[in-house]
Amino acid sequence: MARIVVKFGGSSVADARKIYLAARKLIALHKEGNEVIGVLSAQGNTTDALLAKAKQIDPDCHGRELDMLLSTGEICSVSLCALAIRRLKEKAVSLCGWQAGLFTDGTYGSARALCLQNDRIERELKKDNIVLVAGFQGVDENENVTTLGRGGSDTTAVALAAFLKADRCMICTDVDGVYDKDPRKFVDAVKYDRISYNEMLTLCRGGAQVLHDRCVELAKRYQVPIEVCSSFQEIPGTIVH
């Protein structure tokens, strides 16, 4: 039995059909005998839509209340995916960041994940649940909701993999791995089977958007191997190690 963290980006849970695809992928891993923790981003352009709503109220919005608002997008995603898994006759529970115990510093809009401050995920895994954790968010020492900034759901997944000592961390996205250039724009793009943390950081800082550099830095610090793979196809991805 392995412990696996699986993250789905916003484009991978953008509508009901894609949520069911994510749910079935999580169920398949669980039926293989694994402990499965899913981390989900907000659907599609939800975060941008929430930010636009906030700016209608306060064009200079920032800080605690903005983080509280933006965190709701990921909570919606994990709730919907839990409903889908239950509809498919499997057990699941959804947790927001503070319920999962993802403890961060107090930097609103760009908080850093520090540790897990409770054992809620462990307890839910022991109940044989697929555990769905809202990405992009945590809680600080004053029990305020914080968000992790750009690429925050990737960072959530890697942090949970590190703190829970997971065997695998899968980042599922709309491409099937890491390429030397954008495969959606260049037909001659070459896919890497494996790539080092340092090489991946170079790509990130050169503009590659498949992973955020903070996520890769965290993976390097805790030596968490990442598999970047397709949300929609069962083919090998790229191992970042």
Side-chain angles (χ1 to χ4, degrees), residues 62-186:
H62 66 281
R64 182 188 186 280
E65 301 309 327
L66 182 61
D67 275 25
M68 188 77 149
L69 174 66
L70 296 182
S71 73
T72 63
E74 282 72 17
I75 295 171
C76 179
S77 290
V78 291
S79 300
L80 291 171
C81 193
L83 288 171
I85 291 171
R86 291 187 176 194
R87 181 72 175 174
L88 295 169
K89 309 301 183 186
E90 295 293 331
K91 294 173 63 178
V93 62
S94 62
L95 303 174
C96 60
W98 69 265
Q99 289 172 317
L102 188 62
F103 184 69
T104 74
D105 65 20
T107 308
Y108 294 119
S110 188
R112 292 190 176 271
L114 302 176
C115 64
L116 279 178
Q117 63 176 4
N118 67 38
D119 64 348
R120 179 68 183 275
I121 295 175
E122 295 281 4
R123 287 188 281 120
E124 295 297 345
L125 290 172
K126 287 179 180 176
K127 296 176 185 176
D128 201 34
N129 279 313
I130 296 171
V131 182
L132 301 168
V133 180
F136 180 61
Q137 63 190 258
V139 62
D140 70 10
E141 63 181 353
N142 297 311
E143 299 183 346
N144 293 310
V145 172
T146 57
T147 63
L148 306 184
R150 185 168 171 263
S153 291
D154 288 350
T155 303
T156 300
V158 171
L160 290 180
F163 302 151
L164 292 167
K165 296 180 169 51
D167 299 287
R168 293 168 63 190
C169 181
M170 300 168 62
I171 304 293
C172 299
T173 182
D174 54 1
V175 294
D176 61 2
V178 179
Y179 287 76
D180 62 344
K181 49 193 169 186
D182 192 338
R184 292 163 295 194
K185 296 179 181 177
F186 301 96

Side-chain angles (χ1 to χ4, degrees), residues 15-53:
D15 55 35
R17 182 185 69 84
K18 291 181 177 180
I19 284 176
Y20 268 101
L21 286 173
R24 289 188 173 94
K25 193 178 191 82
L26 294 169
I27 289 170
L29 289 167
H30 188 253
K31 284 185 172 180
E32 291 172 0
N34 301 303
E35 294 180 323
V36 179
I37 303 102
V39 175
L40 274 62
S41 297
Q43 291 182 280
N45 296 318
T46 297
T47 302
D48 289 340
L50 289 169
L51 182 58
K53 285 179 182 291

Side-chain angles (χ1 to χ4, degrees), residues 183-203:
R184 292 163 295 194
K185 296 179 181 177
F186 301 96
V187 296
D188 61 340
V190 176
K191 177 179 165 181
Y192 297 101
D193 293 325
R194 305 178 74 86
I195 187 171
S196 72
Y197 296 122
N198 287 339
E199 290 169 328
M200 189 69 236
L201 282 169
T202 299
L203 287 177

